[in-house]
Every structure is written in structure tokens, then in C-alpha cells.
Amino acid sequence: MSMINYASREINCKIVYYGPGLCGKTTNLEYIFEKVAPNTRGKLISLATETERTLFFDFLPVDLGAIRGFKTRFHLYTVPGQVYYNASRKLILKGVDGVVFVGDSQVERLDANIESMHNLYENLSEYGLDLREIPFVIQYNKRDLPNTSSLQELEAQLNPNRVPHFEAVAVRGIGVFDTLKAVSKLVIKSLS
């Protein structure tokens, strides 16, 4: 849930990047961090294991300007992709304002995508949240690889509610800001 500070006229919103391991969640945040002006962002905090997977979360506050006189800050998090960190995933979802599901487009990762999407629904339901009722977009990452599922297949398996979706190659920045802008707009719209 967004936090509004009337004294400082600031709105803080939380966006969580969710998805299976090694799908590109952290890559999205790293790209955003590199491209956003230093005076509009905080530190990128990343905790990784020896295998370079995100252990807990990445956190990147981004200032996206003022809305009706309130300064808006989006706090971007990722969850660990590995299933055995489910308690951390669930904790990071607490108070979420918007979700980006980052899917790995590779054919052999389709089952991992589906499992992660089901896990997202389950974890949100424990907070009484329904993914159909909160700002939510899907990013199909790694579209440059030769062994990708078709967009139609991914949509059929992961997007039955037809939320906005974006094709991406996060390592080159393709689709990264389109995804962030879309979810940010939905979050702002949900506040009004």
C-alpha cells in the first residue's frame, strides 16, 4: 500500500518485480539504475549469493516527478527467483502497489514461469490481494534468444486476464522502461 506523507507532500509506492530464477528481474533494475539521473534515484542495494542470484531483494527508489503537488517515489524491489526462498518472496510482497512479472521466454523455462505465476497468486492471496485487482504488467524477457516460445504461447499460458505485456531484452534495455512506465501509470491511476 502506498504511503502518503502530507507533511512532506510525498507519495511512496512499492513495485515488485516477480518471476522465476534467472529471468532478468535484477537486470531490469540494474539497467534502470544506470539510465536514471543520479539525483533522482537512491542506492541500488543488491544481495547476491555466490551463484550471483538475488538472495533477498534489490531496492531502487526512483523519483518520477510531482503529481498534484506531491513528489512521487517508486521503490523497486525484486524477489529471489528460487522457490526455496518463498518466505522472502512473500515478505517482499507485503504492501505492494504494483507488480511486474518477468517471464523468461525460453521454451525450456515455460514450466518455471507457470510455477512462479501460480506462486505469485498464492502469496498475494495470503495478504488478501487479488492480482486481477492491483496494477500488474507482464514482461517477456530474453526475446533475442533463438529458443523462445511464441508470444501467443506465452500469452495463453501466463496472461489469461490480458494485462499489458511487453517484449524485452533487459540486458540491452529493450522494453525495460516501457514496462516500468506502464506499471507506474497503473499505480498512479489506482491512487486517484
Side-chain angles (χ1 to χ4, degrees), residues 2-190:
S2 60
M3 293 175 32
I4 301 174
N5 185 329
Y6 288 96
S8 64
R9 301 194 62 78
E10 189 173 275
I11 302 172
N12 290 283
C13 305
K14 181 179 186 179
I15 295 174
V16 174
Y17 283 67
Y18 209 94
L22 300 174
C23 66
K25 302 175 296 290
T26 297
T27 305
N28 268 270
L29 263 63
E30 288 173 342
Y31 186 82
I32 293 165
F33 183 79
E34 284 178 24
K35 297 300 177 186
V36 170
N39 63 336
T40 63
R41 60 168 163 75
K43 283 185 176 179
L44 175 66
I45 300 169
S46 183
L47 303 174
T49 67
E50 62 279 359
T51 56
E52 297 189 22
R53 290 183 173 189
T54 306
L55 185 55
F56 292 111
F57 60 86
D58 301 310
F59 172 76
L60 173 64
V62 179
D63 182 355
L64 293 182
I67 297 173
R68 295 183 185 163
F70 282 82
K71 185 178 176 182
T72 56
R73 291 182 66 86
F74 286 86
H75 300 268
L76 310 180
Y77 293 79
T78 68
V79 298
Q82 301 93 328
V83 174
Y84 47 85
Y85 290 122
N86 191 49
S88 297
R89 288 176 167 188
K90 201 181 309 180
L91 187 63
I92 292 166
L93 282 172
K94 189 173 185 178
V96 68
D97 294 299
V99 176
V100 174
F101 183 87
V102 180
D104 187 327
S105 295
Q106 297 178 90
V107 171
E108 64 271 20
R109 300 295 292 159
L110 185 58
D111 288 343
N113 288 325
I114 293 168
E115 181 185 0
S116 185
M117 183 67 83
H118 285 292
N119 178 257
L120 172 59
Y121 273 94
E122 289 170 9
N123 283 339
L124 284 172
S125 72
E126 292 195 23
Y127 291 119
L129 297 173
D130 186 334
L131 196 53
R132 293 169 294 189
E133 297 172 2
I134 63 174
F136 176 52
V137 302
I138 296 175
Q139 179 189 83
Y140 300 117
N141 193 23
K142 303 186 181 182
R143 297 302 296 166
D144 60 329
L145 297 180
N147 57 335
T148 57
S149 297
S150 70
L151 186 60
Q152 292 76 21
E153 173 72 13
L154 291 168
E155 281 284 281
Q157 296 294 327
L158 299 172
N159 195 6
N161 298 316
R162 301 291 178 227
V163 299
H165 68 270
F166 300 89
E167 293 184 80
V169 182
V171 293
R172 298 202 318 248
I174 298 170
V176 170
F177 278 100
D178 294 332
T179 304
L180 177 60
K181 285 177 190 171
V183 73
S184 300
K185 282 182 182 177
L186 291 173
V187 168
I188 294 297
K189 187 176 176 184
S190 74

